[in-house]
Amino acid sequence: MTKTNGSLLTIFILSLAVSFNATAAEPVTPKLTDKLDRLLREEMRSIQTAMGQIHSAIVMGQHDQVAKHAQDIHDSFILQQSLTEQDRKDLMSAVPEGFINLDKEFHQLAASLAEAGRNDDTEKQHQLFGNMTGNCIQCHSTYVSDRFPGVKPVQD
């Protein structure tokens, strides 16, 4: 599986976390196969755990842990290893281009956060972590509003 496809899945899981605009799109969850839904939920739980670990590491100055967990997010955890070619086709037919763009952005942010961790740059880590959180909110409020009706879009 390519990193882009793995990234798509990770973002979707986060999308079980953020909004591209003030109007929610049609939720993608009902369009997913049972397998994709299960895998995405697993991926989102992994991302949620990693985000919590990153937050703790940032505030404790554990730059190596920030780098490790951000790199794990970038590398897509479970989904990168779990998709068949048919799964990828099913995913691409279920999610809109905006979702794909958020996914790519999220994984780029994770790569940048890993680099900030390797550079011991707390200020940059803080900024990027906030951007990643905003990306989650944007995705969840736009693409999984059926699961997270309380998540509202935020303005930059």
Side-chain angles (χ1 to χ4, degrees), residues 32-53:
L32 298 171
T33 65
D34 289 342
K35 179 181 180 182
L36 286 174
D37 185 55
R38 180 181 50 79
L39 290 173
L40 289 171
R41 287 174 193 256
E42 284 179 36
E43 182 75 7
M44 283 299 126
R45 284 189 293 273
S46 295
I47 290 172
Q48 181 180 16
T49 297
M51 291 290 284
Q53 291 168 327

PDB file of all heavy atoms in Angstrom, residues 32-53:
ATOM      1  N   LEU A  32     -18.860   3.344   3.623  1.00  0.00           N
ATOM      2  CA  LEU A  32     -17.711   2.453   3.804  1.00  0.00           C
ATOM      3  C   LEU A  32     -18.143   0.992   3.916  1.00  0.00           C
ATOM      4  O   LEU A  32     -19.199   0.691   4.463  1.00  0.00           O
ATOM      5  CB  LEU A  32     -16.954   2.834   5.076  1.00  0.00           C
ATOM      6  CG  LEU A  32     -16.348   4.226   5.113  1.00  0.00           C
ATOM      7  CD1 LEU A  32     -15.830   4.524   6.506  1.00  0.00           C
ATOM      8  CD2 LEU A  32     -15.256   4.365   4.075  1.00  0.00           C
ATOM      9  N   THR A  33     -17.289   0.114   3.434  1.00  0.00           N
ATOM     10  CA  THR A  33     -17.526  -1.310   3.664  1.00  0.00           C
ATOM     11  C   THR A  33     -17.315  -1.592   5.146  1.00  0.00           C
ATOM     12  O   THR A  33     -16.682  -0.806   5.863  1.00  0.00           O
ATOM     13  CB  THR A  33     -16.552  -2.173   2.840  1.00  0.00           C
ATOM     14  OG1 THR A  33     -15.214  -1.936   3.303  1.00  0.00           O
ATOM     15  CG2 THR A  33     -16.660  -1.893   1.335  1.00  0.00           C
ATOM     16  N   ASP A  34     -17.828  -2.712   5.615  1.00  0.00           N
ATOM     17  CA  ASP A  34     -17.640  -3.068   7.022  1.00  0.00           C
ATOM     18  C   ASP A  34     -16.155  -3.148   7.376  1.00  0.00           C
ATOM     19  O   ASP A  34     -15.733  -2.693   8.433  1.00  0.00           O
ATOM     20  CB  ASP A  34     -18.317  -4.406   7.337  1.00  0.00           C
ATOM     21  CG  ASP A  34     -19.838  -4.300   7.337  1.00  0.00           C
ATOM     22  OD1 ASP A  34     -20.368  -3.180   7.438  1.00  0.00           O
ATOM     23  OD2 ASP A  34     -20.491  -5.362   7.250  1.00  0.00           O
ATOM     24  N   LYS A  35     -15.357  -3.721   6.469  1.00  0.00           N
ATOM     25  CA  LYS A  35     -13.925  -3.850   6.727  1.00  0.00           C
ATOM     26  C   LYS A  35     -13.265  -2.480   6.828  1.00  0.00           C
ATOM     27  O   LYS A  35     -12.487  -2.231   7.755  1.00  0.00           O
ATOM     28  CB  LYS A  35     -13.251  -4.665   5.629  1.00  0.00           C
ATOM     29  CG  LYS A  35     -11.749  -4.813   5.847  1.00  0.00           C
ATOM     30  CD  LYS A  35     -11.083  -5.602   4.746  1.00  0.00           C
ATOM     31  CE  LYS A  35      -9.580  -5.721   5.001  1.00  0.00           C
ATOM     32  NZ  LYS A  35      -8.911  -6.461   3.905  1.00  0.00           N
ATOM     33  N   LEU A  36     -13.576  -1.574   5.896  1.00  0.00           N
ATOM     34  CA  LEU A  36     -12.975  -0.240   5.944  1.00  0.00           C
ATOM     35  C   LEU A  36     -13.398   0.510   7.199  1.00  0.00           C
ATOM     36  O   LEU A  36     -12.584   1.178   7.830  1.00  0.00           O
ATOM     37  CB  LEU A  36     -13.326   0.565   4.700  1.00  0.00           C
ATOM     38  CG  LEU A  36     -12.604   0.176   3.426  1.00  0.00           C
ATOM     39  CD1 LEU A  36     -13.159   0.967   2.238  1.00  0.00           C
ATOM     40  CD2 LEU A  36     -11.099   0.381   3.553  1.00  0.00           C
ATOM     41  N   ASP A  37     -14.658   0.385   7.551  1.00  0.00           N
ATOM     42  CA  ASP A  37     -15.134   1.051   8.759  1.00  0.00           C
ATOM     43  C   ASP A  37     -14.363   0.540   9.980  1.00  0.00           C
ATOM     44  O   ASP A  37     -13.897   1.329  10.803  1.00  0.00           O
ATOM     45  CB  ASP A  37     -16.634   0.809   8.930  1.00  0.00           C
ATOM     46  CG  ASP A  37     -17.216   1.572  10.098  1.00  0.00           C
ATOM     47  OD1 ASP A  37     -17.061   2.812  10.147  1.00  0.00           O
ATOM     48  OD2 ASP A  37     -17.824   0.925  10.977  1.00  0.00           O
ATOM     49  N   ARG A  38     -14.197  -0.765  10.084  1.00  0.00           N
ATOM     50  CA  ARG A  38     -13.460  -1.353  11.215  1.00  0.00           C
ATOM     51  C   ARG A  38     -12.003  -0.889  11.228  1.00  0.00           C
ATOM     52  O   ARG A  38     -11.471  -0.480  12.261  1.00  0.00           O
ATOM     53  CB  ARG A  38     -13.529  -2.878  11.142  1.00  0.00           C
ATOM     54  CG  ARG A  38     -12.795  -3.581  12.274  1.00  0.00           C
ATOM     55  CD  ARG A  38     -12.853  -5.097  12.159  1.00  0.00           C
ATOM     56  NE  ARG A  38     -12.487  -5.622  10.860  1.00  0.00           N
ATOM     57  CZ  ARG A  38     -11.229  -5.771  10.434  1.00  0.00           C
ATOM     58  NH1 ARG A  38     -10.216  -5.430  11.200  1.00  0.00           N
ATOM     59  NH2 ARG A  38     -10.983  -6.273   9.235  1.00  0.00           N
ATOM     60  N   LEU A  39     -11.363  -0.940  10.058  1.00  0.00           N
ATOM     61  CA  LEU A  39      -9.958  -0.531   9.976  1.00  0.00           C
ATOM     62  C   LEU A  39      -9.779   0.945  10.301  1.00  0.00           C
ATOM     63  O   LEU A  39      -8.829   1.333  10.986  1.00  0.00           O
ATOM     64  CB  LEU A  39      -9.392  -0.834   8.587  1.00  0.00           C
ATOM     65  CG  LEU A  39      -9.188  -2.306   8.257  1.00  0.00           C
ATOM     66  CD1 LEU A  39      -8.797  -2.466   6.791  1.00  0.00           C
ATOM     67  CD2 LEU A  39      -8.145  -2.931   9.170  1.00  0.00           C
ATOM     68  N   LEU A  40     -10.674   1.759   9.815  1.00  0.00           N
ATOM     69  CA  LEU A  40     -10.571   3.197  10.076  1.00  0.00           C
ATOM     70  C   LEU A  40     -10.772   3.505  11.557  1.00  0.00           C
ATOM     71  O   LEU A  40     -10.099   4.370  12.108  1.00  0.00           O
ATOM     72  CB  LEU A  40     -11.557   3.967   9.213  1.00  0.00           C
ATOM     73  CG  LEU A  40     -11.183   3.995   7.738  1.00  0.00           C
ATOM     74  CD1 LEU A  40     -12.315   4.586   6.909  1.00  0.00           C
ATOM     75  CD2 LEU A  40      -9.904   4.777   7.516  1.00  0.00           C
ATOM     76  N   ARG A  41     -11.671   2.803  12.183  1.00  0.00           N
ATOM     77  CA  ARG A  41     -11.875   3.016  13.624  1.00  0.00           C
ATOM     78  C   ARG A  41     -10.627   2.597  14.405  1.00  0.00           C
ATOM     79  O   ARG A  41     -10.220   3.287  15.347  1.00  0.00           O
ATOM     80  CB  ARG A  41     -13.101   2.259  14.108  1.00  0.00           C
ATOM     81  CG  ARG A  41     -14.394   2.888  13.641  1.00  0.00           C
ATOM     82  CD  ARG A  41     -15.593   2.023  14.019  1.00  0.00           C
ATOM     83  NE  ARG A  41     -16.788   2.421  13.335  1.00  0.00           N
ATOM     84  CZ  ARG A  41     -17.784   3.106  13.907  1.00  0.00           C
ATOM     85  NH1 ARG A  41     -17.708   3.456  15.171  1.00  0.00           N
ATOM     86  NH2 ARG A  41     -18.843   3.432  13.206  1.00  0.00           N
ATOM     87  N   GLU A  42     -10.017   1.488  14.002  1.00  0.00           N
ATOM     88  CA  GLU A  42      -8.759   1.070  14.639  1.00  0.00           C
ATOM     89  C   GLU A  42      -7.688   2.135  14.441  1.00  0.00           C
ATOM     90  O   GLU A  42      -6.946   2.473  15.372  1.00  0.00           O
ATOM     91  CB  GLU A  42      -8.262  -0.245  14.035  1.00  0.00           C
ATOM     92  CG  GLU A  42      -8.996  -1.473  14.472  1.00  0.00           C
ATOM     93  CD  GLU A  42      -8.446  -2.722  13.796  1.00  0.00           C
ATOM     94  OE1 GLU A  42      -7.220  -2.803  13.572  1.00  0.00           O
ATOM     95  OE2 GLU A  42      -9.252  -3.619  13.493  1.00  0.00           O
ATOM     96  N   GLU A  43      -7.596   2.631  13.229  1.00  0.00           N
ATOM     97  CA  GLU A  43      -6.596   3.647  12.918  1.00  0.00           C
ATOM     98  C   GLU A  43      -6.837   4.908  13.737  1.00  0.00           C
ATOM     99  O   GLU A  43      -5.901   5.497  14.275  1.00  0.00           O
ATOM    100  CB  GLU A  43      -6.635   3.965  11.424  1.00  0.00           C
ATOM    101  CG  GLU A  43      -5.615   4.972  10.981  1.00  0.00           C
ATOM    102  CD  GLU A  43      -4.210   4.414  10.913  1.00  0.00           C
ATOM    103  OE1 GLU A  43      -4.029   3.200  11.085  1.00  0.00           O
ATOM    104  OE2 GLU A  43      -3.291   5.205  10.689  1.00  0.00           O
ATOM    105  N   MET A  44      -8.085   5.318  13.849  1.00  0.00           N
ATOM    106  CA  MET A  44      -8.405   6.524  14.625  1.00  0.00           C
ATOM    107  C   MET A  44      -8.040   6.344  16.095  1.00  0.00           C
ATOM    108  O   MET A  44      -7.550   7.269  16.726  1.00  0.00           O
ATOM    109  CB  MET A  44      -9.883   6.888  14.485  1.00  0.00           C
ATOM    110  CG  MET A  44     -10.223   7.551  13.179  1.00  0.00           C
ATOM    111  SD  MET A  44      -9.316   9.109  13.011  1.00  0.00           S
ATOM    112  CE  MET A  44      -8.545   8.838  11.455  1.00  0.00           C
ATOM    113  N   ARG A  45      -8.281   5.166  16.628  1.00  0.00           N
ATOM    114  CA  ARG A  45      -7.901   4.918  18.029  1.00  0.00           C
ATOM    115  C   ARG A  45      -6.380   5.005  18.185  1.00  0.00           C
ATOM    116  O   ARG A  45      -5.878   5.538  19.179  1.00  0.00           O
ATOM    117  CB  ARG A  45      -8.429   3.570  18.500  1.00  0.00           C
ATOM    118  CG  ARG A  45      -9.920   3.586  18.807  1.00  0.00           C
ATOM    119  CD  ARG A  45     -10.396   2.317  19.483  1.00  0.00           C
ATOM    120  NE  ARG A  45     -10.334   1.139  18.633  1.00  0.00           N
ATOM    121  CZ  ARG A  45     -11.287   0.756  17.795  1.00  0.00           C
ATOM    122  NH1 ARG A  45     -12.395   1.474  17.691  1.00  0.00           N
ATOM    123  NH2 ARG A  45     -11.141  -0.334  17.077  1.00  0.00           N
ATOM    124  N   SER A  46      -5.647   4.501  17.209  1.00  0.00           N
ATOM    125  CA  SER A  46      -4.183   4.588  17.253  1.00  0.00           C
ATOM    126  C   SER A  46      -3.723   6.036  17.181  1.00  0.00           C
ATOM    127  O   SER A  46      -2.811   6.443  17.901  1.00  0.00           O
ATOM    128  CB  SER A  46      -3.564   3.792  16.102  1.00  0.00           C
ATOM    129  OG  SER A  46      -3.839   2.430  16.239  1.00  0.00           O
ATOM    130  N   ILE A  47      -4.336   6.806  16.315  1.00  0.00           N
ATOM    131  CA  ILE A  47      -3.982   8.221  16.191  1.00  0.00           C
ATOM    132  C   ILE A  47      -4.330   8.967  17.474  1.00  0.00           C
ATOM    133  O   ILE A  47      -3.548   9.788  17.955  1.00  0.00           O
ATOM    134  CB  ILE A  47      -4.659   8.859  14.970  1.00  0.00           C
ATOM    135  CG1 ILE A  47      -4.023   8.305  13.700  1.00  0.00           C
ATOM    136  CG2 ILE A  47      -4.546  10.384  15.012  1.00  0.00           C
ATOM    137  CD1 ILE A  47      -4.728   8.703  12.436  1.00  0.00           C
ATOM    138  N   GLN A  48      -5.495   8.675  18.025  1.00  0.00           N
ATOM    139  CA  GLN A  48      -5.895   9.324  19.274  1.00  0.00           C
ATOM    140  C   GLN A  48      -4.873   9.052  20.369  1.00  0.00           C
ATOM    141  O   GLN A  48      -4.476   9.969  21.101  1.00  0.00           O
ATOM    142  CB  GLN A  48      -7.279   8.822  19.688  1.00  0.00           C
ATOM    143  CG  GLN A  48      -7.794   9.457  20.957  1.00  0.00           C
ATOM    144  CD  GLN A  48      -9.170   8.914  21.332  1.00  0.00           C
ATOM    145  OE1 GLN A  48      -9.615   7.874  20.839  1.00  0.00           O
ATOM    146  NE2 GLN A  48      -9.838   9.630  22.210  1.00  0.00           N
ATOM    147  N   THR A  49      -4.431   7.828  20.472  1.00  0.00           N
ATOM    148  CA  THR A  49      -3.418   7.464  21.467  1.00  0.00           C
ATOM    149  C   THR A  49      -2.116   8.217  21.199  1.00  0.00           C
ATOM    150  O   THR A  49      -1.524   8.801  22.115  1.00  0.00           O
ATOM    151  CB  THR A  49      -3.172   5.941  21.462  1.00  0.00           C
ATOM    152  OG1 THR A  49      -4.387   5.287  21.833  1.00  0.00           O
ATOM    153  CG2 THR A  49      -2.056   5.550  22.413  1.00  0.00           C
ATOM    154  N   ALA A  50      -1.672   8.214  19.946  1.00  0.00           N
ATOM    155  CA  ALA A  50      -0.421   8.895  19.592  1.00  0.00           C
ATOM    156  C   ALA A  50      -0.518  10.398  19.855  1.00  0.00           C
ATOM    157  O   ALA A  50       0.440  10.999  20.355  1.00  0.00           O
ATOM    158  CB  ALA A  50      -0.055   8.632  18.132  1.00  0.00           C
ATOM    159  N   MET A  51      -1.655  11.000  19.550  1.00  0.00           N
ATOM    160  CA  MET A  51      -1.824  12.437  19.793  1.00  0.00           C
ATOM    161  C   MET A  51      -1.717  12.734  21.287  1.00  0.00           C
ATOM    162  O   MET A  51      -1.106  13.726  21.681  1.00  0.00           O
ATOM    163  CB  MET A  51      -3.161  12.934  19.221  1.00  0.00           C
ATOM    164  CG  MET A  51      -3.235  12.940  17.697  1.00  0.00           C
ATOM    165  SD  MET A  51      -2.218  14.187  16.893  1.00  0.00           S
ATOM    166  CE  MET A  51      -3.204  15.664  17.189  1.00  0.00           C
ATOM    167  N   GLY A  52      -2.292  11.890  22.123  1.00  0.00           N
ATOM    168  CA  GLY A  52      -2.173  12.074  23.574  1.00  0.00           C
ATOM    169  C   GLY A  52      -0.736  11.948  24.038  1.00  0.00           C
ATOM    170  O   GLY A  52      -0.262  12.728  24.878  1.00  0.00           O
ATOM    171  N   GLN A  53      -0.025  10.980  23.478  1.00  0.00           N
ATOM    172  CA  GLN A  53       1.381  10.796  23.840  1.00  0.00           C
ATOM    173  C   GLN A  53       2.224  11.981  23.360  1.00  0.00           C
ATOM    174  O   GLN A  53       3.150  12.407  24.055  1.00  0.00           O
ATOM    175  CB  GLN A  53       1.887   9.474  23.262  1.00  0.00           C
ATOM    176  CG  GLN A  53       1.255   8.285  23.947  1.00  0.00           C
ATOM    177  CD  GLN A  53       1.509   6.970  23.223  1.00  0.00           C
ATOM    178  OE1 GLN A  53       1.610   6.911  21.999  1.00  0.00           O
ATOM    179  NE2 GLN A  53       1.611   5.901  23.994  1.00  0.00           N
TER     180      GLN A  53
END
